[in-house]
């Protein structure tokens, strides 16, 4: 019988972290097998059918199953908790493209703020200065469109953006003008979507459907459109889709590869010298906890009991407003304009941290999403008949502004294995236990009031808070789902308090690496993807250097 091939590297997950690692390692000559639990989707499958893509979720994560509870005394209920994509290219395939650099203080939250009761604050083992050149690389590789220096609160940069900002739509222009009225400094949001031809990819045609949708022309910067095609051309990549990894076997203290099930449920085993897990802040701890053995009875690399802990989302206070004129929110990209003036901590507010504020078309880029959004007062229920009809007719005249606000991590906010619910293969699904810290609730309430003030300054005829069930936390509720997931496999210098070191290499298993949003000790007040990309470039450079030094 022929000997099965041993790959240099096995990468699990093809999104922001895994896709960059695949690209960089294959370019350096490593043989890589990439395992993706979802299918390969062709560009022709990336349409703007709202019902199929965004409402029924039949394209990107049809088989996704998780359970949720707010505390250990509850029985977790099944549902869709994380807005992720199971397909080649990962969640980046349907991301909106927001591309922020973290501010320098967001890498040092514990040092900046001190300890906070009930929170598990930590400093990153890296700082902005170390990350800056990798942010630059990510921006230029993924074609970020923006205006350098327009955000007066960002860190220093060595180079501008590769593409100019996208043209503003009517609503964005109004938002910027109203923000200036109340003393804020709006600027164009940096977006990894081509505003002109760049990197052999076309310019965006501003169709309006970005988040929850794939880009059929490749104008949106994704690992699907950039990293994976480039890796395939090297001849060093074996990409396997519909591969559900369920175990990372261990021998002599090292992982030997991965076991996975194909679409029909048949078991396969690949062997590799190094294993990189990039399955996201839900999927990565889920896989490590599934990979139990005599050496790791509590889950792979979990001797510290830190795998799955410190899960954080972002929370999103929202203000909605109704105007007389057509705001064109159904065109363009998800956001064009933002301000960052409220982001820094201010002890007078009664909470720490903050976040960026932007005009978004989340509920106004397609009509069904708008119909499902919260109605303006006095209607507190969607109902049928005239109230719903009037609401739908306001589709083109509604503006939404929202915050991307930092949550405080807590050790008991976590991912573990559900003891009851299984997926179609009989594998225990991830169970999410998560509640809000009081700081989150105080921040939400304060921001909601500020956003309504901005909406009034913009000139809305009517404005109201967007209290969407499962997202609103201002009354002490707990957010049940989010597109941004962080933590669960922290990087840090202390093996007792983290899962991986500053290079995202396991403290306990020398040939195991984690490269995704799960390594983030804190989540910042920005969308996380550019930081995940930048960190992946940083780790890949170190990995290649260690290989040359024969230190892997």
């Amino acid at each position: 019988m022929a000997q099965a091939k041993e790959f240099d590297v096995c990468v699990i997950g093809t999104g922001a972290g895994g896709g960059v690692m695949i690209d960089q390692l294959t370019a350096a000559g490593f043989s890589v097998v990439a395992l993706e639990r979802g299918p390969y989707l062709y560009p022709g499958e990336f349409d703007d059918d709202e019902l199929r893509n965004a409402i029924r979720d039949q394209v990107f994560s049809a088989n996704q199953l998780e359970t949720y509870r707010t505390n250990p005394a509850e029985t977790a209920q099944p549902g869709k908790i994380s807005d992720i994509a199971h397909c080649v290219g990962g969640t980046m395939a349907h991301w909106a493209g927001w591309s922020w650099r973290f501010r320098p203080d967001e890498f040092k939250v514990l040092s900046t703020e001190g300890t906070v009761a009930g929170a598990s604050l930590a400093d990153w083992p890296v700082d902005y200065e170390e990350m800056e050149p990798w942010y630059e690389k990510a921006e230029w590789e993924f074609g970020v469109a923006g205006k350098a220096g327009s955000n007066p609160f960002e860190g220093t940069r060595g180079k501008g953006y590769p593409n100019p900002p996208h043209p503003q739509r009517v609503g964005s222009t109004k938002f910027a003008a109203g923000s200036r009225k109340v003393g804020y400094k709006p600027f164009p949001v940096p977006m990894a979507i081509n505003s002109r031809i760049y990197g052999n990819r076309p310019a965006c045609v501003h169709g309006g459907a970005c988040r929850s949708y794939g880009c059929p022309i490749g104008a949106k910067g994704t690992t699907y459109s950039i990293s994976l095609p480039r890796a395939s051309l090297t001849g060093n990549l074996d990409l396997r889709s519909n591969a559900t990894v369920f175990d990372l076997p261990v021998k002599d203290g090292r992982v030997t590869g991965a076991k996975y099930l194909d679409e029909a449920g048949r078991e396969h085993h690949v062997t590799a010298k190094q294993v990189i897990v990039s399955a996201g802040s839900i999927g990565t701890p889920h896989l490590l906890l599934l990979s139990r053995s005599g050496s790791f009875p509590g889950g792979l690399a979990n001797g510290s009991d830190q795998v799955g802990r410190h899960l954080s989302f972002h929370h999103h206070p929202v203000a909605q407003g109704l105007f007389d004129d057509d705001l064109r929110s159904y065109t363009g990209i998800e956001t064009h304009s933002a301000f960052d003036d409220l982001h820094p901590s201010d002890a007078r507010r009664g909470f720490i941290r903050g976040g960026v504020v932007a005009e978004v078309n989340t509920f106004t880029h397609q009509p069904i999403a708008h119909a499902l959004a919260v109605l303006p007062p006095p209607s507190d229920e969607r109902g049928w008949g005239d109230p719903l009809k009037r609401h739908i007719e306001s589709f083109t005249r509604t503006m939404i502004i929202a915050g991307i606000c930092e949550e405080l991590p807590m050790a008991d906010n976590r991912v573990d294995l559900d003891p009851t619910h299984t997926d179609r293969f009989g594998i225990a699904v991830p169970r999410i236990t998560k509640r809000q810290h009081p700081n989150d609730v105080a921040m939400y309430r304060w921001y909601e009031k500020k956003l309504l003030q901005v909406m009034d300054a913009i000139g809305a005829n009517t404005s109201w808070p967007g209290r969407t069930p499962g997202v609103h936390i201002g009354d002490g509720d707990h957010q049940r789902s989010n597109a941004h997931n962080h933590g669960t496999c922290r990087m840090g210098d202390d093996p007792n308090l983290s899962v991986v070191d500053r290079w995202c290499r396991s403290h306990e298993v020398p040939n195991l690496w984690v490269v995704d949003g799960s390594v983030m000790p804190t989540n910042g007040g920005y969308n996380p993807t550019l930081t995940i990309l930048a960190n992946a470039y940083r780790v890949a450079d170190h990995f290649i250097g260690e290989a040359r030094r024969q230190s892997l």
Side-chain angles (χ1 to χ4, degrees), residues 59 133 233 266 425 477:
V59 178
L233 291 176
R266 295 182 294 259
F425 296 125
D477 296 328

Side-chain angles (χ1 to χ4, degrees), residues 60-104:
F60 294 102
S61 52
N63 295 318
Q64 180 181 342
L65 179 61
E66 301 150 339
T67 63
Y68 171 84
R69 61 185 183 176
T70 60
N71 64 74
E74 294 180 359
T75 299
Q77 300 299 314
K80 183 183 178 184
I81 312 304
S82 54
D83 186 14
I84 58 179
H86 293 156
C87 64
V88 172
T91 302
M92 279 199 88
H94 73 9
W95 77 314
W98 303 45
S99 298
W100 310 99
R101 296 180 175 202
F102 276 19
R103 295 149 38 101

Side-chain angles (χ1 to χ4, degrees), residues 407-424:
E407 286 190 354
L408 299 191
M410 295 190 285
D412 290 337
N413 282 352
R414 65 183 306 182
V415 177
D416 64 1
L417 304 181
D418 192 285
T420 304
H421 294 87
T422 59
D423 64 14
R424 62 193 180 104

Side-chain angles (χ1 to χ4, degrees), residues 216-233:
I217 64 173
K220 182 160 60 177
T222 66
T223 53
Y224 176 92
S225 64
I226 298 170
S227 309
L228 299 176
R230 194 159 54 194
S232 296
L233 291 176

Side-chain angles (χ1 to χ4, degrees), residues 530-546:
L530 188 75
T531 298
I532 297 171
L533 293 172
N535 187 57
Y537 282 116
R538 183 185 70 91
V539 173
D541 180 74
H542 174 76
F543 186 106
I544 294 167
E546 290 295 280

Side-chain angles (χ1 to χ4, degrees), residues 387-427:
L388 179 60
K389 181 175 181 290
R390 287 193 298 271
H391 180 54
I392 295 174
E393 288 174 344
S394 71
F395 169 53
T396 65
R397 298 181 290 110
T398 302
M399 179 186 294
I400 299 173
I401 57 178
I404 310 294
C405 290
E406 182 172 350
E407 286 190 354
L408 299 191
M410 295 190 285
D412 290 337
N413 282 352
R414 65 183 306 182
V415 177
D416 64 1
L417 304 181
D418 192 285
T420 304
H421 294 87
T422 59
D423 64 14
R424 62 193 180 104
F425 296 125
I427 300 170

Side-chain angles (χ1 to χ4, degrees), residues 109-122 352 408 437:
V109 176
L110 179 59
S111 296
T112 302
E113 308 291 353
T115 58
V116 175
S120 54
L121 299 183
I352 63 169
L408 299 191
H437 190 280

